[in-house]
Amino acid sequence: MSILLIDSYDSFSSSFRRLLEKATECSVITIKNDTYHIPEDSKVLDQLLQNVMAVAIGPGPGSPLKSEDIGVIPYVLTKKDLPILGVCLGFQCLCLENGCKMKYLDHPVHGQTAGIQITSRKEPLFDGIPRKFRAVRYHSIHIIQNSDSTPSTQSPEIIPLAYCYDEDKEVLMAARHICYPHFGVQYHPESICSEFGLELVRNFWNIAQKFRKRDELRREDLYKFGIGSVTLEKRNIQTDYDSQLTNHQLQYIYLNKSIHEPTVICEAVSPNFLLLNSCANPGEWSFIGLPEEGVSEVLTHSIYEPNVVKISKWRQTGQKSLKLETQTTVWSFMSKYMGRHKTNFDVQDEFVAGCPFKGGLIGFISYEESLSLITDIHKNTLETNKSEPDIKLCFIERFIAINRKSGRTVIASIRPKDSKWLETNAKLIEKYIDARKDRTEKKDFKEISKGMKMRKPDKAEYIRNFASCQRFLHSGDSYELCLTTTTKLEIPAETKLWDIYLEMIQHNPSPYSVFFDFGDSQLLSTSPERFLSWNRDKCQMRPIKGTVSKRDTKSYRCACEKLLIPKEMGENLMIVDLIRHDLSSLLENVKVKQLMKVEEYQTVYQLVSVIEGKLKDSNCHGIDVLKSTLPPGSMTGAPKKRSVEILEKLELYKRRGIYSGVCGYWSVDDIADWSVVIRSLFGYNREESGDKTLYCGAGGAITVLSNAESEWQEMNDKLDSVVRIFERGLGMS
């Protein structure tokens, strides 16, 4: 037996599908609402509907009155003998099909829990569910049963089953058809904070089985209906990863002294290094990749040449362009590339065995590269050009690992027979450390910052975009929009980026700090947010939504009072539900390990959740999950696809660039850690002479509960956590 799920491009559909699978213990076939077109595809859709036990119509952005938002849903609802369960948009379509009307809520509700009250204990859909329970709402539209204010004009076809109350006004939360097996709920039973979602779907399935017993279902090959390529079913998207053709050998030497400062070691090996610097909790390891000039491979990709990957050597200008084969993407190329290097080391030393990076790729993936995975992005740009890389990754064979907790440091190599290099460089580094007394000598930043110019975001433009966001949120096109801005800094040509980075981490140490200088692109990050980490067993995501500055918040208790409120918790909940969807598209047993906990950082308090999924026995790899979860939901909003399309327009099709992308590492033993590029400076080398240009992105999640002035202030707090180091000696423009 199978159940059909109709997905309306929502960011919660995979979680809904998992709920259907768990409740019914049957296969769930998923199609988009525009997979078929009526009337030309009505025959093949009819065949599909005849071969499933029931249909679930999922949530989605937009309006039930817009044909482009609902596709085949009205046609499916004409099948009176077919058991149907509609959720949110599906519920609204069901009610409108049967004579109800719709209105827009005075105060839309997105990501908020509400008390649901069942009208009758005798309804099979709510069998075993308490008369009152709590569930999560995501909607701007609500259903009314009467076309005017008099109860006598109620739709005779729809029976109300449950309500909630907004300012003492009834809002319909569940209903059924008076005689056909069509049911619907306005709330989201799949949300992490909804109660009794499993029981609701199980009850519907019991109803469907009883109703369909009189029908003899035909068992036919479903793929003839043309749905195989458009399902949301679990899939392994990078099949070239398991080749394991490497001859890497892990060798290492402990440095004699402990508690080494990573920045001092970087200066000892400069300029050939890439730094991943966990200089604050919860970060534990810092890694310094040691690329060799003219030897270490660098992979570069641009969305402007999607079928080309460029291979170069570290610090050399020449590069080789590889044209990708048909049906091959840069993602499958990276997967195959790392497959050739895949190694499982048998390490006896407990400390080295526990080191999560043992050589591999280090670098970044831009927002636009991520964006191209889910939508056809507009490639016209204003302040950037086509020479700017969207993927930049260097393959590292030699590296240094520093553990913050123990203070122990090793220099290591996976290049065969590299012991002589290790011994020579360990001595050189220790000699340098002794001379510096393990301290970085900082320069006077007031002198460094002289002559810099900064162009901050325009408040009037931000307020206009905020108002536009509110219109899209109130119309139901999005539940949350992460509106961003870009600050441009002009730096005198003689200024060293390393000096700027040292100042950044002094004022804002963070668990996912990086310093990358690839020559054609640079990233100086003090990001506090992990995007995705994985090992061979599981993956983890740590979204941050909700931020207050320590300048205005004197204690942890005060931070909790400011962050544990409906607005901030709603922002976080939406991204948690979005991530559960992203992970559930590939993984079983997705769990929320931490829900909306206030965490303390150097300059801010933030609301952080932790979501995990098991990779073991899932028939996919971490790279599959990375591709399926980009771009970071905390930098887009939800539903993701519709939200990024809205944001592109509001942000005038400007490239975000490295900001809002991810950076980190992918180790040869298939352990990886990627952070969201926020609280960062980034830049690109240009041919023109003169000052260097750096950019700093900043933004925040806009919801219907947001206030323009508060969001403007929050955006500036995030911006200032990076750029306030330039305040002295700075010329403003």
Side-chain angles (χ1 to χ4, degrees):
M1 291 185 292
S2 298
I3 185 168
L4 177 68
L5 170 61
I6 300 176
D7 170 38
S8 295
Y9 295 93
D10 200 66
S11 282
F12 309 140
S13 300
S14 290
S15 298
F16 186 35
R17 177 170 62 84
R18 292 296 187 197
L19 180 63
L20 291 168
E21 289 174 338
K22 186 175 182 180
T24 66
E25 298 182 350
C26 293
S27 62
V28 177
I29 303 155
T30 307
I31 64 171
K32 302 293 187 183
N33 66 26
D34 58 358
T35 298
Y36 303 109
H37 297 88
I38 305 300
E40 56 264 37
D41 294 328
S42 57
K43 185 176 180 179
V44 68
L45 181 54
D46 285 344
Q47 287 182 303
L48 174 58
L49 295 175
Q50 289 168 7
N51 282 273
V52 296
M53 179 69 77
V55 173
I57 304 174
S63 167
L65 295 179
K66 294 182 179 179
S67 59
E68 62 269 27
D69 290 339
I70 58 176
V72 300
I73 294 174
Y75 179 79
V76 173
L77 288 168
T78 65
K79 308 302 178 182
K80 302 303 183 184
D81 293 335
L82 180 65
I84 296 173
L85 174 65
V87 172
C88 200
L89 183 64
F91 164 77
Q92 295 163 5
C93 290
L94 166 65
C95 293
L96 293 182
E97 185 71 17
N98 290 283
C100 295
K101 304 295 181 182
M102 58 161 269
K103 284 186 176 180
Y104 285 92
L105 292 166
D106 293 333
H107 303 288
V109 181
H110 295 154
Q112 305 294 325
T113 59
I116 310 296
Q117 186 166 325
I118 302 170
T119 58
S120 171
R121 296 301 299 265
K122 297 181 179 180
E123 287 295 337
L125 186 66
F126 289 103
D127 186 36
I129 297 175
R131 187 78 176 266
K132 295 181 180 181
F133 63 96
R134 297 193 69 79
V136 176
R137 297 166 58 188
Y138 290 98
H139 64 116
S140 301
I141 293 167
H142 73 114
I143 293 298
I144 52 174
Q145 286 186 273
N146 33 316
S147 56
D148 55 36
S149 59
T150 59
S152 62
T153 58
Q154 284 188 348
S155 165
E157 305 296 319
I158 292 296
I159 305 298
L161 301 182
Y163 291 94
C164 71
Y165 296 88
D166 289 353
E167 299 176 354
D168 297 326
K169 295 180 181 178
E170 285 186 341
V171 180
L172 188 63
M173 283 288 113
R176 65 170 173 85
H177 193 275
I178 192 170
C179 56
Y180 300 126
H182 294 182
F183 301 83
V185 294
Q186 177 63 74
Y187 65 88
H188 281 238
E190 81 286 351
S191 172
I192 186 63
C193 289
S194 286
E195 298 176 338
F196 304 106
L198 183 67
E199 290 79 1
L200 176 95
V201 176
R202 192 171 284 155
N203 289 340
F204 167 72
W205 186 242
N206 291 335
I207 295 169
Q209 288 178 294
K210 292 176 182 178
F211 194 89
R212 292 281 271 179
K213 273 186 177 180
R214 57 187 161 179
D215 292 341
E216 184 177 349
L217 297 179
R218 294 175 301 189
R219 304 302 176 197
E220 299 181 27
D221 181 6
L222 291 171
Y223 280 90
K224 78 178 185 179
F225 303 129
I227 64 170
S229 63
V230 294
T231 65
L232 291 177
E233 295 168 14
K234 186 176 66 175
R235 59 205 184 278
N236 184 351
I237 57 174
Q238 304 298 343
T239 57
D240 293 329
Y241 180 57
D242 292 316
S243 50
Q244 201 163 356
L245 302 175
T246 183
N247 63 345
H248 295 310
Q249 299 173 7
L250 181 61
Q251 308 129 83
Y252 54 89
I253 295 177
Y254 281 92
L255 296 187
N256 289 331
K257 296 185 178 181
S258 63
I259 317 179
H260 293 118
E261 171 55 49
T263 55
V264 177
I265 300 177
C266 289
E267 292 173 355
V269 299
S270 182
N272 296 315
F273 71 90
L274 295 167
L275 173 62
L276 296 158
N277 188 12
S278 292
C279 49
N281 290 329
E284 182 177 349
W285 291 88
S286 292
F287 302 109
I288 304 169
L290 303 173
E292 184 178 356
E293 190 167 339
V295 176
S296 300
E297 285 192 328
V298 179
L299 312 182
T300 304
H301 184 257
S302 168
I303 60 169
Y304 297 102
E305 294 183 284
N307 300 319
V308 174
V309 175
K310 295 179 179 178
I311 310 288
S312 60
K313 303 296 185 181
W314 180 260
R315 297 297 183 198
Q316 288 193 348
T317 55
Q319 54 188 7
K320 178 173 64 174
S321 294
L322 296 180
K323 188 171 178 59
L324 300 178
E325 299 176 359
T326 305
Q327 304 300 319
T328 300
T329 68
V330 66
W331 295 91
S332 53
F333 175 87
M334 287 192 297
S335 182
K336 191 171 184 178
Y337 181 93
M338 284 298 284
R340 293 196 300 270
H341 292 284
K342 186 177 180 183
T343 310
N344 291 323
F345 299 105
D346 183 15
V347 183
Q348 300 303 314
D349 185 292
E350 185 177 347
F351 177 80
V352 177
C355 176
F357 179 74
K358 297 182 179 71
L361 293 176
I362 291 179
F364 66 78
I365 300 168
S366 79
Y367 177 72
E368 279 70 33
E369 186 76 58
S370 305
L371 204 60
S372 66
L373 293 170
I374 62 170
T375 187
D376 294 326
I377 67 172
H378 295 79
K379 296 178 182 177
N380 52 312
T381 63
L382 294 180
E383 297 216 24
T384 58
N385 61 35
K386 296 181 180 181
S387 67
E388 296 162 359
D390 289 300
I391 291 179
K392 202 77 176 181
L393 298 163
C394 181
F395 188 77
I396 296 297
E397 296 177 288
R398 296 164 169 171
F399 61 94
I400 297 168
I402 306 108
N403 185 274
R404 290 183 65 248
K405 292 184 177 179
S406 68
R408 302 177 79 185
T409 302
V410 295
I411 180 169
S413 173
I414 60 172
R415 188 178 297 181
K417 300 178 181 179
D418 213 17
S419 57
K420 185 176 180 180
W421 179 90
L422 286 172
E423 293 171 2
T424 300
N425 283 272
K427 291 177 181 177
L428 289 174
I429 291 170
E430 288 177 344
K431 183 178 180 181
Y432 188 90
I433 290 172
D434 286 339
R436 286 294 186 92
K437 296 183 174 58
D438 205 16
R439 289 198 306 271
T440 302
E441 292 183 2
K442 290 179 73 282
K443 297 183 179 180
D444 184 355
F445 199 73
K446 286 187 285 186
E447 291 298 320
I448 295 173
S449 63
K450 284 183 178 178
M452 294 184 181
K453 295 181 180 180
M454 180 163 55
R455 189 177 69 208
K456 283 191 170 184
D458 178 70
K459 184 176 181 180
E461 180 182 357
Y462 181 88
I463 298 299
R464 287 194 298 271
N465 284 338
F466 176 91
S468 296
C469 286
Q470 289 297 331
R471 288 193 291 273
F472 284 113
L473 295 169
H474 280 74
S475 67
D477 287 286
S478 179
Y479 316 134
E480 177 177 317
L481 291 165
C482 186
L483 180 65
T484 72
T485 64
T486 301
T487 292
K488 183 178 180 180
L489 300 97
E490 294 182 5
I491 312 295
E494 65 274 12
T495 304
K496 293 182 178 180
L497 297 182
W498 181 247
D499 292 331
I500 296 175
Y501 174 74
L502 293 177
E503 194 74 15
M504 288 172 65
I505 60 173
Q506 177 180 335
H507 288 271
N508 191 28
S510 68
Y512 305 108
S513 168
V514 307
F515 181 88
F516 296 160
D517 186 352
F518 283 99
D520 62 352
S521 50
Q522 300 83 31
L523 173 62
L524 292 64
S525 176
T526 56
S527 174
E529 182 174 356
R530 167 179 281 163
F531 176 60
L532 172 69
S533 65
W534 74 75
N535 56 31
R536 288 176 292 276
D537 295 325
K538 68 180 181 180
C539 60
Q540 182 190 89
M541 303 182 78
R542 289 178 55 90
I544 291 175
K545 271 292 169 233
T547 303
V548 292
S549 171
K550 279 191 169 181
R551 287 182 295 175
D552 307 317
T553 310
K554 303 304 181 185
S555 68
Y556 182 84
R557 180 178 178 180
C558 182
C560 291
E561 292 174 353
K562 289 185 176 182
L563 289 172
L564 296 177
I565 61 174
K567 172 190 173 295
E568 305 292 351
M569 295 174 70
E571 289 180 18
N572 199 288
L573 173 59
M574 279 185 261
I575 302 307
V576 171
D577 278 341
L578 183 154
I579 286 174
R580 290 175 61 243
H581 157 86
D582 284 347
L583 291 179
S584 294
S585 67
L586 288 174
L587 304 178
E588 308 281 354
N589 300 318
V590 174
K591 304 291 185 183
V592 178
K593 305 292 287 187
Q594 172 181 301
L595 184 61
M596 292 181 276
K597 179 182 178 182
V598 177
E599 293 186 352
E600 182 177 1
Y601 294 86
Q602 187 74 12
T603 60
V604 294
Y605 293 98
Q606 302 199 283
L607 201 59
V608 183
S609 295
V610 179
I611 306 98
E612 291 183 352
K614 288 190 177 297
L615 280 169
K616 193 174 183 179
D617 302 325
S618 66
N619 196 33
C620 70
H621 301 289
I623 185 63
D624 302 329
V625 179
L626 179 63
K627 181 182 177 184
S628 296
T629 52
L630 286 171
S634 61
M635 303 307 297
T636 63
K640 192 182 284 187
K641 185 176 187 299
R642 182 71 65 90
S643 295
V644 298
E645 291 168 350
I646 292 170
L647 290 166
E648 266 201 296
K649 296 178 182 178
L650 294 182
E651 295 174 12
L652 302 177
Y653 302 105
K654 294 182 181 180
R655 282 175 57 99
R656 291 189 185 180
I658 305 175
Y659 170 67
S660 296
V662 297
C663 65
Y665 66 84
W666 181 8
S667 180
V668 293
D669 57 350
D670 201 20
I671 296 175
D673 204 347
W674 301 90
S675 65
V676 183
V677 180
I678 54 177
R679 318 291 198 276
S680 303
L681 295 171
F682 67 96
Y684 307 96
N685 278 5
R686 303 291 185 86
E687 292 182 0
E688 66 253 32
S689 60
D691 293 347
K692 300 175 183 177
T693 300
L694 293 177
Y695 299 92
C696 182
I702 309 297
T703 71
V704 292
L705 297 179
S706 297
N707 171 274
E709 286 293 334
S710 296
E711 292 298 330
W712 169 254
Q713 184 58 53
E714 180 179 326
M715 185 276 296
N716 274 284
D717 286 342
K718 294 173 180 176
L719 176 63
D720 289 344
S721 71
V722 179
V723 303
R724 68 168 175 261
I725 62 175
F726 302 114
E727 288 176 353
R728 294 179 181 177
L730 183 65
M732 302 296 292
S733 63

